[in-house]
Amino acid sequence: DNRIHTSKYNILTFLPINLFEQFQRVANAYFLFLLILQLIPEISSLTWFTTIVPLVLVITMTAVKDATDDYFRHKSDNQVNNRQSEVIIDS
């Protein structure tokens, strides 16, 4: 099998892999850490809502962008893999 495969995700792996990749970024990990700290009422002066909204917005926008890019990769892969080709056997 010599099919081209440049996409990163499929339907089942998109959410876990994408979240893992996003929380590898320092800024996203930092805001997740702040969110966890804000869930502890004794040390938090703000509500958890002030941290979760920006974090969810950034993660959602990045996930939509990644899904769109991967969809076009799948489409391009299918286009390349379904092209007509000439096979030469024995010279």
Side-chain angles (χ1 to χ4, degrees):
D1 187 22
N2 63 347
R3 285 184 286 167
I4 304 266
H5 180 76
T6 59
S7 56
K8 288 199 260 185
Y9 313 110
N10 63 37
I11 296 294
L12 297 175
T13 63
F14 176 74
L15 191 61
I17 292 175
N18 189 268
L19 287 176
F20 177 76
E21 288 176 350
Q22 287 199 48
F23 285 113
Q24 293 291 314
R25 296 184 182 121
V26 175
N28 290 348
Y30 172 75
F31 280 105
L32 180 63
F33 180 70
L34 282 181
L35 175 63
I36 292 168
L37 287 178
Q38 287 182 346
L39 292 175
I40 303 169
E42 290 82 20
I43 62 172
S44 177
S45 62
L46 300 171
T47 62
W48 57 271
F49 190 76
T50 58
T51 302
I52 200 166
V53 170
L55 181 62
V56 168
L57 284 175
V58 168
I59 287 174
T60 302
M61 289 176 15
T62 305
V64 168
K65 179 193 70 76
D66 289 345
T68 304
D69 290 346
D70 205 57
Y71 169 75
F72 287 117
R73 278 192 223 106
H74 273 287
K75 199 171 174 182
S76 174
D77 291 348
N78 286 336
Q79 205 173 38
V80 169
N81 290 331
N82 292 324
R83 270 194 294 202
Q84 290 286 335
S85 60
E86 185 176 328
V87 178
I88 300 175
I89 300 174
D90 294 333
S91 301

